[in-house]
Amino acid sequence: MTAPDAQDLRWENGVPVSGRFDDPYYSREDGLAETRHVFIDGCRLRERLRPGPFSIAELGFGTGLNFCATLAFWQAQAPAGAALDYTSFELYPMQAGEIDRALAAWPELAPQCAALVAAWRPEGGTVEIGPARLTLVTGDARETLPVWEGRADAWYLDGFAPSRNPQMWEPALLAAVGAASAPDSVAATYSVAGPVRRGLEAAGFSLERLPGYGRKREMLRAVRIPPDRA
């Protein structure tokens, strides 16, 4: 099965841009540095590593940069016995060659990128990549996430900008994120837009504004408030 090129992908100075949303897939300054700052640090992964399973869920797989950066981090720093379960919800999956081209800017991720490209199934499903179990859930997250049976310890909220792709930040979808969160789950996003803040608060998260990456002045860390403490 071949995924449709519904994003009308174009390349600007080596950076992939969605023609559908007129938005780049990652920071034009340094996408890898942004991923580390917003998601790995934003979700406090270094502090929360532990033996046993750890579940990360993501809205918007895109180029796979977040996954590859997380896998590299995991391989370097996770304790023995730690298992990474990574689930990503994506409506318009890239093709393997596009992922390979998009991630070529970071040679330090070459092993992770090569493993991802070799295992890539744009139609979705689950594959094992090193210590990670990657599940790609294709389709509209507003339909697929509410019926997902997983519970995430961390959320990467990485859809295109709310002003360009408001469907990815709708209150009902953020409520589904809250419902699919483990106690004390931590979510992170580059966006501090009002609808995002209000949606996360309504979904049961306590918000913290942090310095953003690059030109973005602020970002959000959202910590799930357990029901018995709400």
Side-chain angles (χ1 to χ4, degrees):
M1 176 181 175
T2 300
D5 186 16
Q7 290 290 38
D8 188 22
L9 186 67
R10 68 177 188 267
W11 300 84
E12 297 180 359
N13 298 318
V15 176
V17 177
S18 167
R20 185 181 185 90
F21 298 107
D22 194 27
D23 210 19
Y25 276 84
Y26 47 67
S27 170
R28 297 179 188 272
E29 296 170 72
D30 187 336
L32 178 55
E34 180 184 45
T35 287
R36 288 169 171 162
H37 177 80
V38 174
F39 298 115
I40 293 176
D41 293 345
C43 288
R44 297 192 183 114
L45 295 192
R46 288 177 177 83
E47 304 167 33
R48 303 172 68 211
L49 287 176
R50 61 176 186 252
F54 189 89
S55 174
I56 296 175
E58 172 183 56
L59 294 185
F61 189 80
T63 65
L65 176 57
N66 294 341
F67 171 74
C68 288
T70 302
L71 178 58
F73 162 79
W74 202 267
Q75 291 171 321
Q77 300 198 33
L84 175 60
D85 189 358
Y86 194 108
T87 301
S88 190
F89 297 83
E90 175 61 59
L91 180 56
Y92 302 118
M94 282 187 170
Q95 298 302 302
E98 295 168 336
I99 289 174
D100 192 41
R101 179 178 177 183
L103 299 181
W106 298 285
E108 61 265 52
L109 292 182
Q112 292 78 23
C113 174
L116 172 61
V117 169
W120 185 240
R121 295 167 51 188
E123 69 273 18
T126 300
V127 294
E128 304 286 339
I129 302 178
R133 181 175 183 266
L134 170 63
T135 300
L136 180 70
V137 181
T138 58
D140 191 326
R142 294 175 295 178
E143 300 173 358
T144 58
L145 177 50
V147 297
W148 182 51
E149 296 182 354
R151 290 291 180 271
D153 298 297
W155 279 95
Y156 295 173
L157 305 181
D158 198 25
F160 290 109
S163 60
R164 301 177 186 273
N165 184 22
Q167 295 88 350
M168 200 63 149
W169 307 91
E170 289 180 355
L173 183 54
L174 295 178
V177 167
S181 295
D184 297 321
S185 176
V186 180
T189 177
Y190 64 86
S191 178
V192 295
V196 177
R197 299 196 314 271
R198 292 189 292 272
L200 287 170
E201 287 179 328
F205 289 91
S206 173
L207 304 186
E208 179 183 2
R209 292 189 189 223
L210 301 172
Y213 174 78
R215 299 179 184 179
K216 295 184 175 70
R217 188 175 64 182
E218 294 180 309
M219 59 165 280
L220 283 181
R221 173 185 289 149
V223 179
R224 178 73 168 145
I225 304 171
D228 61 351
R229 299 209 304 261

